[in-house]
Structure formats: structure tokens, C-alpha cells
Amino acid sequence: MNKRFTLLSAWVMTILLIACTPDEQIKEVALPPEAESKSLEDIKIGFSMDTLQEDRWFKDRELFVEAAEKAGVEVEVTVANGDDVKQVWQTEKMISEGIDVLVVVPHNAESMAAIVERAHDAGIKVLSYDRLVRNAEVDLYLSYDNEQVGILQATVMTELVPEGNYVYLGGAETDYNAHLMKQGVFKVLKPYIDKGDITVVFNQWTKDWVPEVAKANMETALEVNHQQIDAVIAGNDATAGAAIEALAAYDLAGSIPVAGQDADLAGVQRIVNGTQNLTMYKSIDDLSERAVELAIKLALNEEIQEDRTINNGKINVPSILLPPVPVDRTNIKETVIADGFHQKKDIYQ
């Protein structure tokens, strides 16, 4: 009887398999994804960076590697030095050598779209770190709320200077974050502009975030406006510092409010010295640790709960945005010093 039952069961299973569609049969016999069996020791993260020119990017690299080592995963870091072709080549090499997840800080938000596609073709997920890759099916975007950076910059500056001539020195036009910051700045300035209280007399991008370009732009703004400038909002602390150099040539450094962002050491020192009024602190410690944590989850195909989505021109990218913190002379101790981002002795040297 047992033999007859076994034969009948085999016959029934055969009939069921024949009745299934090909796709259903494949699902029935498919092996679990390789990622599900990975351990942390098996994971290799590729971290593609645009540049180390600014002080903050050195910190990003150090803290990212430190967080990866603490988590027990391998990480390979490449730096493109602002070269699109080099960054594409470096990331293609990492993909071909078998990374499990790609974390990328794009130099050019548009040109890195092809790399996202190549990574996906190789079964590798992509996390946009701090800067969003445009027109690509990015798996996750992690950054600070860059529009909020601009909103906070402009809010503080309009409290200091509610009327007058403003200069806006944006970041690199190829950096989508620069567009988001500008969007935030002008969202706040618009009512003042509409009332005629504020006039933006100069508004220019800074190619590749190069400080010398920002300085030349500020010099032009001063010349064409006969030094009649009342406030400067800059894309980061390096461009703010360049603007202050241009102002110093006219003995205006310290008399015209200047806002930057990134809380670079030089920027915080200028706040103490009175030539810069504001910077925006974005804890790189939090950002790098969260990036490693999320990269591991992507590599393991684990669920990630995003805060919101941001459209990058192709899809609504799942995004996690951390809050920035304004820093002026009143809260340096409670922010960058308390977090160990800068040492008190270095700031007040």
C-alpha cells in the first residue's frame, strides 16, 4: 500500500508541475538569492569619491573607512580629483572586480548615470552619498536636507540684513545639491525680492567648486556694483572664504555678512574672527556611519525605510535626509566642538 501511495504521489506532483506555467515552475525551483547567504565578512563596499579638496571630504573618507572596519566589512575607496572620465573608469574597475554595493559621490550628477546602469547590470546596488546622481535608477540617496541648508542660510541672513543688495555665489552647476541649496535660498528671498526690499545684484555658479572662481566672481560683483554689497550667501565655506578674500581687498571683510556651509575649520575660524557670520554644520560622523549601515543593508537585500522620495529626473529616488544645523559665534561649543568635529585649540588658535 505504501508503494502504491508513493507512486500516486509522484504522479500527482508530475501533473501539477506540467499544469504550472513556465514562470511558476521557475519560481518553484529557484534558489534563494546569493545575497541572503552573505555574511558581513563577505561584503565589499566600493566608495567612489569626487574629490578631497575640501576639508570635509577628508573627514568623510576617514570616517567612512572607520565605520566600515567597525562593522566588519571591506571597503575600497577611489578619488577622481574632479575628473568625470577618471571617476567613470574607477567605478567601472570596482564593478568588474566584484564589489557588492557601490557608494558614490558624483562629480557630475548627470555623467554618473551610466555607471548606475552598469552596476545594476552586474547585480550591484547603488547608494548616492551626499550628492544625488541624476537621471538614473539610483537605489537610495543619503544626504543632508540641502534645500533646508539654503533655507536656513537665507533665513539667518535676512534677519541680519532685511534690506539691501545680495550676492549669491552658488556651488558647481553640475552638482545637484547646489541646485537644491539655491532653491532653498531663493524660496526665502522671494518675498523680500517681490517687495523690493532685497535685490540680488549678482547670481553665479562656481565651476567645480573652485575657490579661485568664486573669488573672481565676487571681484566682478564688487566692481559692477561699485562695492554696494550688503550680504553674501555662498555655496560652501571654501567659496565663502574666497568671497571674503575679495572683500578684504576693498577693506570690507567683516563689515558685510557672509554665509557658507560645511563647517570647515577655516570657516569656523573666520566666524570666530568676525569675517564670516554663518556656516551650516552637517555631522559627517552621522552621515558616514549611516551610509555604511545602509550600504550593508543594500548588499544583503534588507528592507530600508526611507524618509521621502526625491525625483532625480528619471525616478522618485528613496531618500534619507538628515537635518543640518546653523553655526554662528553663539553655538560653536555646543555643535562642532561638542561632537569632536573640530578641536577647541584649533578653532581658537
Side-chain angles (χ1 to χ4, degrees), residues 163-184:
E163 299 179 358
N165 292 337
Y166 272 59
V167 167
Y168 184 72
L169 300 176
E173 192 172 7
T174 55
D175 183 346
Y176 189 54
N177 282 2
H179 290 265
L180 292 171
M181 283 185 279
K182 184 175 182 178
Q183 184 174 303

Side-chain angles (χ1 to χ4, degrees), residues 69-287:
E69 289 174 349
K70 186 177 179 181
V73 299
E74 185 180 355
V75 60
E76 178 181 351
V77 182
T78 60
V79 182
N81 299 318
D83 186 329
D84 292 346
V85 174
K86 186 175 182 180
Q87 188 167 32
V88 168
W89 177 81
Q90 288 173 334
T91 47
E92 283 183 334
K93 187 171 183 288
M94 284 195 291
I95 290 167
S96 68
E97 290 175 350
I99 56 172
D100 297 291
V101 61
L102 176 63
V103 179
V104 59
V105 184
H107 169 65
N108 187 313
E110 299 284 348
S111 66
M112 289 306 289
I115 284 299
V116 176
E117 185 175 345
R118 285 170 197 162
H120 285 171
D121 287 343
I124 298 166
K125 292 185 177 178
V126 180
L127 187 157
S128 254
Y129 180 99
D130 199 52
R131 298 177 184 170
L132 182 59
V133 177
R134 295 277 296 164
N135 295 310
E137 295 184 357
V138 179
D139 296 286
L140 186 65
Y141 173 46
L142 173 68
S143 184
Y144 277 82
D145 190 332
N146 291 292
E147 183 176 347
Q148 187 66 14
V149 168
I151 287 172
L152 291 171
Q153 281 183 315
T155 298
V156 172
M157 293 299 278
T158 52
E159 290 172 357
L160 291 172
V161 186
E163 299 179 358
N165 292 337
Y166 272 59
V167 167
Y168 184 72
L169 300 176
E173 192 172 7
T174 55
D175 183 346
Y176 189 54
N177 282 2
H179 290 265
L180 292 171
M181 283 185 279
K182 184 175 182 178
Q183 184 174 303
V185 166
F186 280 85
K187 184 178 286 188
V188 174
L189 293 185
K190 189 176 185 303
Y192 293 86
I193 294 169
D194 291 345
K195 287 190 298 181
D197 292 338
I198 287 175
T199 302
V200 179
V201 295
F202 191 86
N203 174 8
Q204 189 58 262
W205 299 109
T206 304
K207 182 176 172 57
D208 294 334
W209 293 97
V210 175
E212 289 77 13
V213 174
K215 183 178 179 182
N217 285 337
M218 190 68 219
E219 288 169 345
T220 300
L222 287 162
E223 289 168 11
V224 299
N225 292 285
H226 309 290
Q227 297 92 55
Q228 299 303 305
I229 305 296
D230 300 294
V232 179
I233 299 178
N236 66 2
D237 285 339
T239 52
I244 290 166
E245 284 184 34
L247 290 169
Y250 291 90
D251 293 324
L252 294 173
S255 62
I256 295 176
V258 178
Q261 72 126 351
D262 281 341
D264 282 355
L265 178 59
V268 178
Q269 288 172 337
R270 287 192 297 270
I271 290 174
V272 170
N273 294 332
T275 55
Q276 184 171 326
N277 299 72
L278 175 74
T279 188
M280 301 300 300
Y281 175 48
K282 302 180 296 185
S283 172
I284 297 171
D285 209 337
D286 292 346
L287 187 68

Side-chain angles (χ1 to χ4, degrees), residues 44-85:
K44 182 176 181 180
I45 301 172
F47 188 24
S48 170
M49 301 187 70
D50 163 30
T51 182
L52 295 178
Q53 278 190 342
E54 282 88 25
D55 177 52
R56 67 145 295 185
W57 292 115
F58 279 102
K59 292 181 182 292
D60 281 89
R61 181 181 65 176
E62 291 169 6
L63 292 169
F64 189 96
V65 171
E66 184 181 314
E69 289 174 349
K70 186 177 179 181
V73 299
E74 185 180 355
V75 60
E76 178 181 351
V77 182
T78 60
V79 182
N81 299 318
D83 186 329
D84 292 346
V85 174

